Amino acid sequence: MLGENHSLLNEFPEFKERITQLISSEQTFAEMAKQYDDLDTEIRHLELADSPVSDDVLRQMKHERSELKDSLYQRLISHLE
């Protein structure tokens, strides 16, 4: 769906407290989370602006967002153990 919010807190509401805690205590996690949310915002903006970039560029951005999401998720669950 175009313009759908994939922010980190929206994707993982069950980890809201953990996300907040890791953002304030781990610089790497905080930087990755910011990069993820900034990329998601940019993708949504492009989708709602009728994608003034090529499909390949948008597809690459979405791929990068997906990889960041996977990495962030792995960091989230590794702190559960």
Side-chain angles (χ1 to χ4, degrees), residues 1-6 44 47 62:
M1 200 185 295
L2 293 180
E4 191 172 330
N5 183 352
H6 290 278
R44 279 187 283 137
E47 287 178 337
K62 288 180 177 183

Side-chain angles (χ1 to χ4, degrees), residues 11-65:
E11 290 293 298
F12 303 116
E14 68 276 18
F15 290 118
K16 181 179 180 180
E17 289 179 33
R18 186 164 310 284
I19 291 168
T20 303
Q21 186 266 327
L22 289 173
I23 286 173
S24 66
S25 67
E26 290 193 13
Q27 182 178 355
T28 301
F29 186 90
E31 290 170 357
M32 289 174 64
K34 181 175 179 358
Q35 183 182 4
Y36 175 87
D37 283 337
D38 289 350
L39 186 56
D40 179 59
T41 298
E42 185 177 0
I43 290 168
R44 279 187 283 137
H45 173 75
L46 290 169
E47 287 178 337
L48 295 174
D50 205 19
S51 297
V53 296
S54 71
D55 287 343
D56 288 338
V57 170
L58 194 56
R59 189 173 14 261
Q60 179 60 37
M61 291 171 71
K62 288 180 177 183
H63 178 74
E64 183 179 341
R65 179 181 62 187

